[in-house]
Amino acid sequence: MVQLKCVGRGSGGVDEMKEFCNEAAVQWGLVCFTFGSGTFKRHKNIFVHFNGQNVGAVKRGKFNSQKSDVIDQLGSTHSDIEITSKDECTTDHFFDSLNRVFVSDSGNFSLSELKEQYMQSVVDCVGMDPLASVASLEIQIGKRPLASEMKVKGDRVLDAVREERGPFNWALYYPDPNQLKLFNAGSLSVSELKRVLPEDEVLYGLVRMGFGAGQFRRTKWVFVHWIGEKTGAVKRGKAMSVKSEMLDLLKPHNVDVQVSTPAELEIRLFIERMTKMFVVDGKNELDKEVGFGFDEFMAALAEEQRANAEFFGDCGEIDPDVEYDFKETVDAVRKTDNPINWALFVTK
């Protein structure tokens, strides 16, 4: 029996799994597709054979001969799919290839409606698992400390966020323009930021969002106004009265957003929202030479992690020793009440 090692898992569906696909390797995946809600909720488990297009013939033959053994270990599924490139690891491609499987017991729902239901289920899963959005980077480099753990002062943090590739890319401050009182700051963007948000506070912050790497990198700054849902009326009003001063204090920023729930900071949704806001007065401010989507954002974020490895005392690269428990991971994907909806494996 071959031994399987989990190289990635998460709650962001197949579009998130794409980031872990290696075109120079043969990998095996398990993905749970969820449709509907309540008594009409259904789940389809899919076995994924990622037959990397850059794998040599001898190596490919060796690993492909292990497929039946791998299937036995991952368990029964509703269907399977073979893909050879990262470009095929998308929601659209899976639905196009598996449409008969997905609509077999869908009632009166069309394929496009099922796709919408699946995408909503992914958003719900991410909301259930606040660590999922930063899981990929924490797997790669280990959990990095927040500014509060490093005892970095608020003005130094703000300077770092203002830099193109500074060690901190988000910072939150209490609503006091007379002194820059730091609430916290970190290096893993809004997916990390949303984990520390208090329900009973109003905070103002600055988030740096890069898109693309190297000479193609473009950077935008977002002014974030957080209003916790349990914030009292008096505290809320007092904080709101200094917003204009905080806007001036936390420059530069391209857009200004207000959020009141962590779900609004789910990374894919947040990027989509920001992209729309970067268009001002009918003029597209986005540079046509670089995309402003999730892939470009992750490329920029990974570049930042490498650039600041010395500051945080880590290597800034993938840690080969980080490994999820195999059985626990498979069980997590198969459990209908667990937010983990995909996992990717290689044979040891």
Side-chain angles (χ1 to χ4, degrees), residues 301-345:
L301 193 54
E303 181 182 58
E304 289 180 20
Q305 307 315 305
R306 292 190 294 271
N308 295 293
E310 184 177 350
F311 180 88
F312 288 102
D314 56 50
C315 66
E317 298 291 350
I318 293 176
D319 180 358
D321 296 324
V322 176
E323 184 174 354
Y324 288 118
D325 179 78
F326 171 74
K327 185 178 184 303
E328 186 271 332
T329 296
V330 173
D331 289 343
V333 177
R334 290 182 168 279
K335 286 182 179 178
T336 57
D337 59 347
N338 193 300
I340 302 300
N341 52 32
W342 70 268
L344 199 62
F345 306 88

Side-chain angles (χ1 to χ4, degrees), residues 9-203:
R9 72 181 194 183
S11 63
V14 293
D15 293 303
E16 181 183 50
M17 186 174 75
K18 172 182 179 178
E19 306 304 319
F20 290 80
C21 291
N22 181 357
E23 294 181 346
V26 174
Q27 298 171 301
W28 318 97
L30 184 64
V31 182
C32 178
F33 286 80
T34 300
F35 310 101
S37 60
T39 56
F40 298 100
K41 181 178 287 189
R42 302 180 314 288
H43 306 274
K44 299 284 187 179
N45 292 321
I46 304 298
F47 173 80
V48 181
H49 180 187
F50 187 80
N51 211 354
Q53 59 186 1
N54 298 328
V55 181
V58 175
K59 185 178 179 181
R60 184 191 304 274
K62 174 187 175 183
F63 287 115
N64 286 345
S65 67
Q66 301 169 342
K67 181 177 179 179
S68 60
D69 192 356
V70 173
I71 291 176
D72 288 340
Q73 293 191 55
L74 295 183
S76 61
T77 57
H78 293 90
S79 187
D80 64 273
I81 183 174
E82 179 176 335
I83 55 178
T84 60
S85 70
K86 296 181 72 169
D87 290 341
E88 294 176 315
C89 191
T90 65
T91 298
D92 287 340
H93 182 76
F94 272 64
F95 270 79
D96 289 342
S97 302
L98 300 166
N99 61 83
R100 291 184 180 179
V101 177
F102 292 152
V103 302
S104 61
D105 59 352
S106 64
N108 296 322
F109 292 113
S110 65
L111 191 63
S112 61
E113 290 174 322
L114 291 175
K115 188 186 297 184
E116 290 180 6
Q117 292 174 11
Y118 167 67
M119 294 304 295
Q120 181 58 53
S121 77
V122 170
V123 173
D124 293 341
C125 284
V126 171
M128 291 168 61
D129 181 12
L131 301 183
S133 296
V134 294
S136 61
L137 284 170
E138 290 188 344
I139 292 169
Q140 292 177 34
I141 60 175
K143 186 179 184 300
R144 281 183 168 173
L146 298 175
S148 59
E149 300 171 82
M150 302 180 72
K151 302 187 185 305
V152 184
K153 294 183 178 180
D155 55 350
R156 185 183 175 192
V157 167
L158 186 57
D159 287 341
V161 178
R162 285 168 171 163
E163 295 174 11
E164 282 278 335
R165 296 174 178 81
F168 296 105
N169 51 37
W170 66 267
L172 292 173
Y173 295 88
Y174 289 100
D176 185 352
N178 297 315
Q179 57 175 338
L180 200 61
K181 187 177 179 183
L182 181 69
F183 176 78
N184 220 330
S187 62
L188 295 177
S189 197
V190 293
S191 294
E192 179 182 55
L193 179 156
K194 73 176 186 178
R195 291 158 46 181
V196 304
L197 292 171
E199 294 182 316
D200 58 350
E201 290 283 356
V202 175
L203 300 171

